[in-house]
Amino acid sequence: MDMLVRSSSVTADAQRELAKWQADRAYWAETLPVMEMLSEFLTLTPMLHQQIATASTDGRHLYFCPRYSATLSDESRRFLHAHLIWHCVAGHLTAPLVAGQHRWHLACDHEVNALLLALGVPLTLNALLFPVCVGRSAIDVYRWLEGHPDTSLEVAADIHPAALWWHLPDAVPDQRMTARWRHRAHLIAREPDALPERVAKFCEAR
């Protein structure tokens, strides 16, 4: 009986957190419609067995840990939600063969957060952003970070999509999904007034 009660409680917690992520879409529908539209391409998926400590995406699902989600403010959760969406838009579902995977993650996080800044999505206080690199590509930022004295001091809030397979073996990087998101990026770039000019140009170049 105790196990059943505990399981029911966990499920209830997950549903409660799921409702918050779903509410982000309603919020964006009123404030930033392009974000609501892009979010709808992802199935919001609470992870009940703690394979994921924070959140990630494979381009089909947005996975999140309910316990972690419960610690986030509405603004922090919306930022993370938007951040994961733009990993998809930016083509980060796969990764090049780089020597430093953590450094690549930092570079991708910077690229996404610079785009969110341009979109008007509020960044959290601990959001990764290197001001001197705003406007530079992830690979340029990766090279710039080679001069960082200690990249281990920089912490990412999510699991990089290309590293998700380490936590979820079935979540193998899929080039077809990358192509699908590239197509979506091109489509939203053509929508009048959907995006700021810099973000639209980024999407066009995908």
Side-chain angles (χ1 to χ4, degrees):
M1 177 65 74
D2 181 61
M3 181 67 73
L4 288 175
V5 170
R6 193 176 308 163
S7 175
S8 175
S9 174
V10 168
T11 303
D13 290 344
Q15 289 299 319
R16 186 160 46 247
E17 292 307 311
L18 176 60
K20 295 178 183 178
W21 292 77
Q22 291 168 334
D24 294 341
R25 292 173 172 171
Y27 174 84
W28 283 326
E30 298 294 327
T31 59
L32 195 56
V34 69
M35 289 301 307
E36 188 266 342
M37 183 269 288
L38 291 170
S39 177
E40 291 289 352
F41 289 118
L42 296 170
T43 301
L44 299 172
T45 309
M47 300 301 293
L48 300 180
H49 302 295
Q50 298 185 7
Q51 299 104 314
I52 292 176
T54 54
S56 190
T57 182
D58 60 1
R60 292 185 179 88
H61 304 84
L62 189 156
Y63 301 103
F64 66 90
C65 171
R67 286 187 181 180
Y68 176 71
S69 176
T71 70
L72 301 175
S73 66
D74 288 346
E75 185 174 274
S76 294
R77 186 192 60 257
R78 278 195 292 266
F79 161 73
L80 182 57
H81 193 159
H83 180 90
L84 291 168
I85 290 168
W86 279 82
H87 268 316
C88 299
V89 178
H92 299 161
L93 297 177
T94 58
L97 293 174
V98 292
Q101 292 182 6
H102 178 62
R103 183 154 46 108
W104 177 247
H105 190 173
L106 299 180
C108 291
D109 277 1
H110 163 86
E111 183 174 58
V112 164
N113 291 344
L115 291 167
L116 295 182
L117 194 64
L119 279 163
V121 174
L123 303 189
T124 56
L125 290 176
N126 60 347
L128 197 72
L129 191 72
F130 306 110
V132 298
C133 293
V134 169
R136 295 170 68 174
S137 68
I139 194 64
D140 282 346
V141 177
Y142 175 81
R143 294 179 182 125
W144 177 81
L145 282 169
E146 193 170 2
H148 194 295
D150 188 359
T151 54
S152 68
L153 297 175
E154 306 287 356
V155 179
D158 60 347
I159 296 168
H160 192 284
L164 183 58
W165 63 271
W166 182 258
H167 305 265
L168 297 176
D170 291 337
V172 179
D174 186 345
Q175 292 288 352
R176 292 171 300 177
M177 186 55 61
T178 300
R180 198 169 297 169
W181 277 97
R182 183 184 300 115
H183 179 64
R184 290 165 184 163
H186 293 166
L187 290 177
I188 60 173
R190 299 186 195 121
E191 285 290 322
D193 303 321
L195 300 170
E197 183 179 2
R198 189 175 84 75
V199 181
K201 286 182 177 179
F202 174 88
C203 290
E204 284 174 351
R206 283 279 296 109

